[in-house]
Amino acid sequence: MVQGALDRLRAFDRRRPRVWDAAVTGFWVVAAVLDYTSGGWRTTAHEDVTAPDYLVLLMSLGFSLPLVWRRTHPLAVVLLMTPISLVNVWTGAVVQASLLQLVPVFQLVLRSSFRTVGAAALLFVVPVLSAGVRLPSGWGQEMVSYLWGLVFTVLLGIAVRTRREYTEALVERAHRLEHERDQQARLAAAAERTRIAREMHDIIGHNLSVITGLADGGAYAARKSPERAGQALEAIGATSRQALSELRRLLGVLRDDRPDAERAPQPTLDELAPLIDRVRRAGLPVRLELHGEPGPRTLTPGRQLTVYRVVQEALTNTLKHAAPATPSAASVPGPGAPGEPHRPPLSATVALTYTRTHLDARITDTGTGPGPGAGPSAGGGEASAPPQGIMGMRERAALYDGTLEAGPLPERTGWQVQLRLPLEDTQP
């Protein structure tokens, strides 16, 4: 209950500081005037009192009225009270309101440097010591009381100031931690959005490219071999269902109201063969080469996903940007139809090389682009690709301290993507 009352007083002081200062000052003014009217000051006065009553009243008001500025100008209040204190002890009146000098001293301890506090303490002590010259008899005990009051006030102010600064430091640290937490949450959200964007790009881009290749090849083959067009439609259906399943799984994980969403394992290097088979069905002959042995140092699931996505993106870009403009017979499974015009062959190679410390993945194609007049971007699988694809691959490689290079083959005979990824236990 006491703590609640103190909290309400502090809240009132924060809302109306001037009203609070006036109330406190009024309280001490009334107390000083009552001390004067009741003659209570005579109990502490020296035997040799030379001060008239009106001077005692003025000194009582001089010690109490300036308290209204005790928080805004505490040093000025101490300076104003110093000559009044000299008159007080010199006349021997020693009004009890003189102890109110300790109030601005306390405020100085709370807000000012210790050098300023020392100056204020000196202004308080000098009049007290001078009384020993004017009224030597019986003054020693009163002087000790004044000095002890000063010491107690200073120590109390230091304790309150230390506690206040400690509390403010805790509050500031809490605000800083909250700000850092919010900033980390924003960074994590941005990273997660980037990761989801990469996954969506890889899933949708690859499957749509396969579907487009199958559809173009099926439409071309329908005029010559309807059964091969039916094969293309079946492949389109299977690819569409797989893409839809992957998207549902990804979106299900993102939804807050689906805590039981299916979380299938991410693709690994074991899934490269099915990926290459789908690309082949879309009309791009792909050869997979393996050099070296994985050995005891295997890639982590995250690194395997990186290799899988880079291979997927590279082959997808080959399908989208290096294929001839008119679908060929290779766009659907089966032997080529007779009478078709000869076109430069389009093929790709995926080579994985295991070393003692790294896995190197090299994806090359022999794409010739859309043909003459298509512009400078027609030279290879990635030449006309949007930069997001290459940037996404580089971001994936950088997550595991890997490197990725993409560019045309010598004499612009195709395009290559080279990924170099360190094994897990080679990281510091």
Side-chain angles (χ1 to χ4, degrees), residues 208-288:
L208 287 182
S209 296
V210 172
I211 291 172
T212 301
L214 290 170
D216 291 342
Y220 180 78
R223 297 189 294 269
K224 300 180 179 294
S225 178
E227 63 277 5
R228 290 170 58 201
Q231 296 176 9
L233 290 176
E234 292 178 358
I236 289 174
T239 303
S240 300
R241 285 190 293 272
Q242 179 182 1
L244 184 60
S245 175
E246 292 183 8
L247 284 177
R248 282 177 176 172
R249 183 163 49 245
L250 180 60
L251 296 177
V253 171
L254 296 178
R255 291 180 58 182
D256 294 336
D257 58 348
R258 290 282 305 281
D260 57 342
E262 181 182 358
R263 290 172 172 83
Q266 292 280 28
T268 63
L269 294 182
D270 295 335
E271 306 296 325
L272 277 181
L275 170 68
I276 291 175
D277 288 340
R278 290 196 300 271
V279 176
R280 287 171 181 160
R281 288 199 301 268
L284 175 63
V286 183
R287 184 173 72 255
L288 176 62

Side-chain angles (χ1 to χ4, degrees), residues 311 349-353 360-364 409-410 416-419:
V311 173
T349 301
V350 178
L352 300 182
T353 303
D360 296 324
R362 186 169 183 264
I363 305 95
T364 59
L409 291 170
Q416 69 175 349
V417 174
Q418 283 188 303
L419 170 67

